[in-house]
Amino acid sequence: MIAAGQPKLIVAADAEALAQAAADRVMARIGANPGRIAICLTGGSSPKKLYQLLGSDSWRGKIPWDRVHWFIGDERFVPESDPLNNMAVARAAFLDRNAPAGHVHPIPTATGDPDRSAEAYARELQAFYGADQLDPARPLFDLVLMGAGPDGHTASLFPGYPEIEEVRRWVIGVPKANVAPFVPRVSLTLPALASCREMLFEIAGHDKQAILTRLLNGENLPALRARSNGETVWLVAGAALPEEIRGPR
């Protein structure tokens, strides 16, 4: 189903194996960079086991916390204390106990509206990067974590919405969500997300079979259009894999 040049597909046995494989890839990207490291996190349910693993006693000692900066690919426009806040989930799971405060970069949501938040986060990313134009030879992120929604959205870039076509800005406000929770969002754009050495999708759960089938069949959805300028990997737990392509790989 996946043609040449498509993302690399890796199948894990279950959600626990998926989290382990994702953690291994996170550590490989950290190990490949002896300098300052930038990792862009994602929200949703798929990465929660990964975040818990990275914060566990057996893993947190492996991470050079003083060199890693943590960003987020999209955010729901709710207060940082709200349980719907994506970065709040990551902070509670592993960041607040381990990462220096100045190395955690949440999208601000107290600015009045999503467009202002987007502008503020773009400025923060550009200050970190040291330029206001992305250079294909110098990725913004070492690793970008991604997920795929039931409608094929990724980050907060929804199918058929104008934000998916943005190519100039790094971050945009999204006034309306296509899926619950129906709150405004702030999202990195496809070019900003693509500026990475690796884009790693985590796709888990039987309920993802339908959308994964559509993606594997090449449907022009945001989760298929999101590609790294480096390597793009789809890490899939077995239950999400369509029946016709299950089995040893």
Side-chain angles (χ1 to χ4, degrees):
M1 281 186 173
I2 296 185
Q6 294 280 10
K8 180 180 181 181
L9 176 65
I10 299 175
V11 179
D14 52 31
E16 286 70 27
L18 182 144
Q20 177 76 41
D24 288 339
R25 296 194 75 90
V26 170
M27 294 308 303
R29 286 297 167 185
I30 288 174
N33 184 351
R36 188 178 66 167
I37 298 155
I39 294 178
C40 186
L41 302 173
T42 185
S45 58
S46 295
K48 289 182 179 179
K49 289 183 182 295
L50 167 63
Y51 296 165
Q52 292 165 357
L53 195 60
L54 293 177
S56 67
D57 291 342
S58 58
W59 281 83
R60 61 187 177 189
K62 303 176 183 179
I63 298 174
W65 297 98
D66 59 327
R67 292 196 293 114
V68 185
H69 287 253
W70 309 88
F71 296 87
I72 192 89
D74 73 309
E75 190 57 85
R76 295 151 178 173
F77 199 69
V78 296
E80 290 185 8
S81 58
D82 193 299
L84 293 177
N85 187 282
N86 287 330
M87 187 62 101
V89 173
R91 296 184 75 149
F94 77 108
L95 290 177
D96 281 349
R97 294 190 302 276
N98 300 289
H103 288 209
V104 179
H105 304 267
I107 292 174
T109 56
T111 57
D113 66 71
D115 288 335
R116 289 184 184 177
S117 287
E119 291 169 2
Y121 207 52
R123 289 194 297 270
E124 182 166 359
L125 287 169
Q126 289 164 1
F128 180 87
Y129 187 66
D132 60 5
Q133 298 290 325
L134 292 167
D135 179 354
R138 186 168 69 91
L140 171 59
F141 301 112
D142 292 271
L143 179 71
V144 170
L145 293 171
M146 301 281 270
D151 60 345
H153 81 268
T154 194
S156 282
L157 302 173
F158 298 101
Y161 283 42
E163 293 83 12
I164 189 66
E165 306 300 338
E166 176 62 48
V167 296
R168 182 178 57 84
R169 288 177 289 176
W170 294 25
V171 192
I172 49 172
V174 181
K176 182 182 178 182
N178 196 43
V179 297
F182 296 101
V183 296
R185 316 287 181 97
V186 179
S187 181
L188 271 64
T189 59
L190 286 181
L193 292 165
S195 183
C196 61
R197 299 189 186 280
E198 179 176 338
M199 181 179 288
L200 178 62
F201 281 81
E202 287 186 83
I203 305 173
H206 185 79
D207 61 336
K208 295 294 179 71
Q209 267 193 25
I211 192 58
L212 185 57
T213 299
R214 293 168 65 188
L215 293 171
L216 290 170
N217 282 328
E219 190 169 335
N220 187 29
L221 295 166
L224 186 63
R225 292 176 62 181
R227 301 286 181 87
S228 170
N229 292 337
E231 183 178 19
T232 303
V233 176
W234 288 354
L235 183 55
V236 180
L241 203 64
E243 297 287 348
E244 61 269 25
I245 58 170
R246 287 192 185 189
R249 302 190 63 82

